[in-house]
Amino acid sequence: MRHFLLFLSFFTLFFSCKAPEARKPVSISSGSFINESINRNKELSAREEARIQKIIKEDTLNNYIASDGGFWYYYEKKDTLATTTAKFGDIVNFNYDIKNLNGDLIYNQKELDTVNYAIDQEDLFFGLREGLKLMKEGEIVTFLFPSYQAYGYYGDDHKIGTNIPLISRVTLNKITKQSTKEN
């Protein structure tokens, strides 16, 4: 019997030692968070665009233009003779204000002061950066920016919160050419 117990112990010990098996993951990531986020952003964008389209439809005094960048604008003062617009590296001097879509002033021109901005070389929210490239010296343009063209999800950490579409009235005072090739 002693040999049997010894044999049984050896047999159990021998067969219980096997190669480690791969474990299955505890949680499975299906990508549903990303898909939900995409759907939320599409819905937000559609709601904002509907609000902007309503403003445009109700404003019969101005002729709005849809930009390639996804924002809308109209000219309060347009220069039909000038051809020069700002390009990469040019310095633009401008004033602007910022309102929400209800027309409530968030920042006035005095608070924001006159800005000197090197096109595409300094920090400025995307829509305004693109809008300045459409303008000529002396023009006054009002832009309507969906939140993804403005300060987006993060806001500006002061007065502009999360996902706030904006209206901005911009006066382009001067363009100083910095580029070497003719524009």
Side-chain angles (χ1 to χ4, degrees):
M1 174 92 171
R2 186 170 183 200
H3 287 301
F4 178 71
L5 288 174
L6 188 61
F7 176 72
L8 187 60
S9 298
F10 178 72
F11 185 77
T12 306
L13 183 64
F14 182 74
F15 284 105
S16 65
C17 296
K18 60 181 181 175
E21 291 182 17
R23 297 182 302 177
K24 293 184 180 182
V26 174
S27 64
I28 299 172
S29 177
S30 65
S32 63
F33 174 78
I34 302 243
N35 292 334
E36 290 171 10
S37 179
I38 290 169
N39 290 335
R40 276 193 308 270
N41 287 333
K42 284 181 180 179
E43 289 171 12
L44 174 66
S45 180
R47 281 194 312 269
E48 289 178 2
E49 185 170 338
R51 284 184 66 201
I52 290 171
Q53 290 301 326
K54 182 179 179 193
I55 291 169
I56 291 170
K57 185 177 180 180
E58 291 174 355
D59 184 1
T60 57
L61 298 177
N62 296 300
N63 183 24
Y64 287 83
I65 302 166
S67 75
D68 293 337
F71 57 87
W72 294 262
Y73 62 99
Y74 67 87
Y75 288 91
E76 291 183 38
K77 181 179 175 189
K78 182 176 174 112
D79 186 342
T80 56
L81 300 176
T83 58
T84 303
T85 57
K87 306 285 186 231
F88 178 84
D90 293 343
I91 308 297
V92 293
N93 176 281
F94 68 98
N95 297 90
Y96 70 115
D97 64 19
I98 297 177
K99 300 175 187 173
N100 63 25
L101 290 187
N102 295 328
D104 302 323
L105 196 60
I106 298 172
Y107 292 109
N108 64 37
Q109 284 190 6
K110 196 175 220 177
E111 285 177 282
L112 296 172
D113 205 7
T114 300
V115 178
N116 288 308
Y117 167 71
I119 296 290
D120 291 336
Q121 294 184 330
E122 296 180 74
D123 195 25
L124 192 64
F125 71 86
F126 183 76
L128 185 54
R129 204 169 54 222
E130 294 304 306
L132 287 167
K133 294 177 196 175
L134 301 172
M135 298 177 68
K136 300 172 200 141
E137 277 187 17
E139 290 185 332
I140 302 171
V141 178
T142 296
F143 296 96
L144 282 73
F145 299 114
S147 65
Y148 68 88
Q149 290 284 341
Y151 288 93
Y153 180 75
Y154 296 104
D156 76 340
D157 294 330
H158 299 290
K159 294 182 180 182
I160 300 172
T162 299
N163 296 324
I164 305 294
L166 301 173
I167 299 173
S168 183
R169 183 176 185 265
V170 180
T171 303
L172 183 57
N173 303 316
K174 183 160 181 59
I175 299 173
T176 305
K177 296 309 243 175
Q178 300 295 318
S179 52
T180 55
K181 60 182 177 180
E182 184 62 32
N183 293 311

